[in-house]
Amino acid sequence: MENGTLPVGKSDIVVIQGLSKTYADLRALNDVNLSVKREEVVFIIGPSGSGKSTLLRCINRLEEPTAGSISIAGATITDRGINLNRVRQDIGMVFQSFNLYPHMTALGNVVLALRLVRKMRKAEARDKGLTVLREVGLADKIASYPAELSGGQQQRVAIARALAMEPKIMLFDEPTSALDPALVGEVLSVMRAMRDKGMTMIIVSHEMDFAREAADRVIFMDEGEIVEQGPPQQIFVNPSHPRTREFLSRMLNT
């Protein structure tokens, strides 16, 4: 297993030690240890129910860990008394579902948190919103409502909303799984651009070709544990663990 003692480096922006999460009789995460360096792009793959999404949700404290510690940019976010609202400003998260407010335009969805959380003035927030929507290729959709946008466009608004907060790390939980296959590429293109600009990203995804191309490191999880991790070439071409080989055989031959 890859869940042993974790050396912590100065360049690590995420440090997870001994993380476990239990629901009644189900252990979703079992003593997970993981560090992520600044500007690193880490893909987490594995079968459904392996703990991938639970891990992401624990990193953002949307799930409360049963045991262990999580540090983001030097702040131990599992400490009692931590200001979670402040910490979450440093952690952008994009979900399978877009979670946009249907009664707000694309720009309105992006600007809302800037006004409420960052306390930006209206003009400043609008300028910031326009900038990030332009970055994700939606300059012509600022006045459109979610119902008027394709799934790919809605997901790009969700990414823009997260980017507008200038997070130190971005978490993606199956960001393309709800999209028509024809729309997946436009979201992946935005994620590539984020990688090229040096954004630290942890991505849960079944897009194996994208993981092979974009990842610095690929982590295979199963039964709540990190079974194997390494560069894409190692994981996809010569995985060392039988469970990794079995999973990739199924995924790559479907």
Side-chain angles (χ1 to χ4, degrees):
M1 295 296 171
E2 298 282 336
N3 286 23
T5 304
L6 178 70
V8 178
K10 290 182 179 179
S11 63
D12 294 328
I13 190 170
V14 179
V15 178
I16 299 170
Q17 302 267 19
L19 187 67
S20 294
K21 175 63 181 177
T22 303
Y23 304 96
D25 296 329
L26 172 66
R27 176 158 286 206
L29 295 174
N30 183 26
D31 192 27
V32 170
N33 295 288
L34 174 65
S35 64
V36 177
K37 297 185 183 306
R38 296 179 189 277
E39 300 190 6
E40 188 176 19
V41 177
V42 175
F43 273 74
I44 304 177
I45 63 173
S48 297
S50 60
K52 307 183 302 295
S53 293
T54 301
L55 176 57
L56 284 194
R57 291 175 68 84
C58 283
I59 293 173
N60 203 24
R61 286 287 301 277
L62 293 173
E63 295 283 356
E64 194 66 24
T66 305
S69 67
I70 304 168
S71 295
I72 306 289
T76 302
I77 68 168
T78 43
D79 280 352
R80 288 185 179 181
I82 192 78
N83 185 339
L84 277 180
N85 289 331
R86 172 62 192 87
V87 167
R88 285 181 178 141
Q89 293 180 38
D90 291 334
I91 309 169
M93 188 155 184
V94 177
F95 301 87
Q96 299 179 43
S97 54
F98 320 123
N99 295 340
L100 301 179
Y101 291 105
H103 63 289
M104 291 185 173
T105 63
L107 182 60
N109 269 279
V110 173
V111 163
L112 182 63
L114 294 175
R115 297 276 285 147
L116 294 180
V117 180
R118 293 287 192 194
K119 307 298 183 184
M120 281 188 181
R121 294 178 179 176
K122 186 175 181 179
E124 183 185 8
R126 177 180 169 81
D127 287 346
K128 183 67 174 180
L130 291 172
T131 296
V132 292
L133 284 168
R134 205 161 35 238
E135 287 175 358
V136 301
L138 292 175
D140 60 336
K141 298 293 184 181
I142 61 171
S144 298
Y145 290 88
E148 300 170 326
L149 301 173
S150 70
Q153 289 168 337
Q154 290 185 62
Q155 191 63 294
R156 283 189 280 158
V157 172
I159 294 172
R161 178 177 57 188
L163 286 176
M165 299 295 286
E166 298 184 357
K168 294 176 180 175
I169 180 170
M170 285 283 291
L171 310 177
F172 292 87
D173 189 5
E174 297 284 6
T176 60
S177 65
L179 300 180
D180 183 287
L183 302 176
V184 169
E186 62 190 62
V187 173
L188 299 186
S189 178
V190 170
M191 295 171 69
R192 284 188 191 93
M194 292 168 62
R195 174 203 61 190
D196 293 345
K197 289 181 179 178
M199 175 61 72
T200 307
M201 295 190 278
I202 304 177
I203 303 166
V204 169
S205 178
H206 283 99
E207 298 288 341
M208 296 297 144
D209 288 341
F210 184 50
R212 190 193 299 255
E213 166 207 338
D216 294 306
R217 181 164 39 125
V218 177
I219 292 171
F220 173 67
M221 288 188 70
D222 195 15
E223 298 180 356
E225 298 181 339
I226 295 177
V227 175
E228 183 173 359
Q229 59 182 304
Q233 181 74 4
Q234 172 191 322
I235 298 299
F236 287 107
V237 176
N238 190 30
S240 62
H241 200 284
R243 277 194 279 173
T244 315
R245 291 196 293 270
E246 180 186 357
F247 171 77
L248 288 173
S249 177
R250 290 198 310 269
M251 289 299 296
L252 299 176
N253 291 314
T254 55

